[in-house]
Amino acid sequence: MVRHWPSLLLVALIAALQYPLWLGKGGWLQAWESERALEAQRALNTRLEARNVALEADVKDLKTGFDAVEERARVELGLVKPGEVFVQVPRSNKP
């Protein structure tokens, strides 16, 4: 046992030096978690950018013409033009 103390000391020293690399502040584990969070945020940003593009198109349509306004009034509010007759057909629940 007395002859192995330098080896044991070396193993302990290597383990002490590895601890901050793997588990310490700014170590591999924290870097991996940060990378995972960054990828999740990038995916969310991509979805939000697509939504923003669609909203910008809606705003442009609403500003430039009356077709989009008329469509929204008909679909969302159930409005009809004077002289029109609104007919609603119930949907069948049969498969």
Side-chain angles (χ1 to χ4, degrees), residues 66-82:
F66 291 106
D67 292 337
V69 174
E70 182 179 331
E71 179 185 347
R72 284 194 179 248
R74 289 176 181 270
V75 172
E76 293 178 8
L77 303 174
L79 298 178
V80 294
K81 289 182 179 179

Side-chain angles (χ1 to χ4, degrees), residues 7-39:
S7 298
L8 293 175
L9 180 64
L10 184 60
V11 168
L13 182 62
I14 289 173
L17 289 173
Q18 289 290 314
Y19 176 80
L21 177 66
W22 291 97
L23 302 173
K25 184 177 181 181
W28 288 107
L29 186 61
Q30 188 177 14
W32 180 76
E33 286 292 326
S34 297
E35 183 69 28
R36 202 179 102 243
L38 179 62
E39 288 301 319

Side-chain angles (χ1 to χ4, degrees), residues 40-57:
Q41 187 63 48
R42 284 181 178 155
L44 176 63
N45 288 353
T46 301
R47 288 193 310 270
L48 291 175
E49 285 172 359
R51 187 197 68 177
N52 287 348
V53 168
L55 288 174
E56 285 177 20

